[in-house]
Amino acid sequence: MIAKRWVRGVVGSVVVTGALAGAAGCETPPAPRAAPGPTWAPATRPAPPAPTQAPERTSAPPCPEGGVRLLEGSGDAAMGLRLEGYELVNCGTDEYVLEGYPEVRLLDEEQRPVEVAVGHGSAPVTSEVPTVDAAPERVSLAPGQAASVVMVWRNRVTDVSVPAVEGWVLEVTPKPGAPRLAIRLTRPVDLGNTGQLGIGPWRDATAR
């Protein structure tokens, strides 16, 4: 008898619970909250580097009229005696022939002519200098080849009343009838006030 009452109580409890659930179901339950999105971003591929522009090539200056270019060479100085070499390069397409001595002129920093007596050979500037006192010879330059000429002078002040002068621009006429060439020097022709300059003949730049 006690067992029957227990079963009924359980069943009744189930029914009541279901009724209560049905009554509560009259109201729509709130929608479940959306799950949070991913906290990571999709991997992005790095942009390709911008193409680097190739450095501009500096082209050589055009070959001067006449087909040759004048260049400053090496020098030597001892006890006020100056010895400087200059080169003439065949930058043209034809053979270039030289013989004898060039005609030279000096200008100062203000492009004014410098008064100087130019002689062939080292006298009276100094005693014999082989490259300056050599005998003239014919020099034939193929395209790309060079000839050299050497100048000698003294940096000396012999009279304090006469201003010392310096040549900063060298003008050269390689041979009679040829166009005149000019270069700005990195080392001046510092004549003092001697007013004397000796030059040698054209020589093959490869000659020893």
Side-chain angles (χ1 to χ4, degrees):
M1 192 67 179
I2 295 173
K4 288 181 180 181
R5 287 180 180 176
W6 181 84
V7 170
R8 287 178 181 176
V10 172
V11 173
S13 175
V14 171
V15 173
V16 172
T17 304
L20 290 174
C26 294
E27 295 180 2
T28 305
R33 186 176 298 177
T39 57
W40 53 271
T44 57
R45 302 180 68 180
T52 56
Q53 187 175 3
E56 296 183 0
R57 294 183 178 180
T58 55
S59 57
C63 188
E65 180 187 3
V68 287
R69 179 179 289 116
L70 184 63
L71 302 174
E72 188 175 11
S74 59
D76 188 19
M79 300 294 291
L81 183 66
R82 305 287 196 258
L83 200 66
E84 288 278 353
Y86 306 91
E87 286 195 349
L88 191 73
V89 181
N90 183 356
C91 54
T93 57
D94 300 323
E95 182 184 49
Y96 197 89
V97 178
L98 295 164
E99 192 168 5
Y101 300 84
E103 178 186 331
V104 301
R105 189 170 75 144
L106 294 173
L107 308 178
D108 64 13
E109 286 190 296
E110 283 71 40
Q111 307 291 311
R112 297 172 302 195
V114 172
E115 292 188 11
V116 56
V118 180
H120 295 170
S122 61
V125 177
T126 185
S127 56
E128 184 177 356
V129 179
T131 54
V132 180
D133 294 309
E137 58 185 28
R138 189 177 187 272
V139 179
S140 179
L141 302 178
Q145 291 184 330
S148 64
V149 66
V150 178
M151 302 195 314
V152 62
W153 69 93
R154 283 193 182 277
N155 177 20
R156 184 173 59 191
V157 175
T158 58
D159 187 346
V160 294
S161 64
V162 179
V165 296
E166 291 183 340
W168 280 98
V169 175
L170 174 64
E171 293 185 341
V172 172
T173 303
K175 59 182 178 180
R180 179 183 295 172
L181 303 170
I183 56 170
R184 177 80 181 183
L185 302 175
T186 60
R187 299 178 299 274
V189 179
D190 49 352
L191 296 165
N193 58 16
T194 60
Q196 295 176 337
L197 178 67
I199 62 170
W202 288 115
R203 304 178 69 216
D204 185 342
T206 62
R208 295 292 184 267

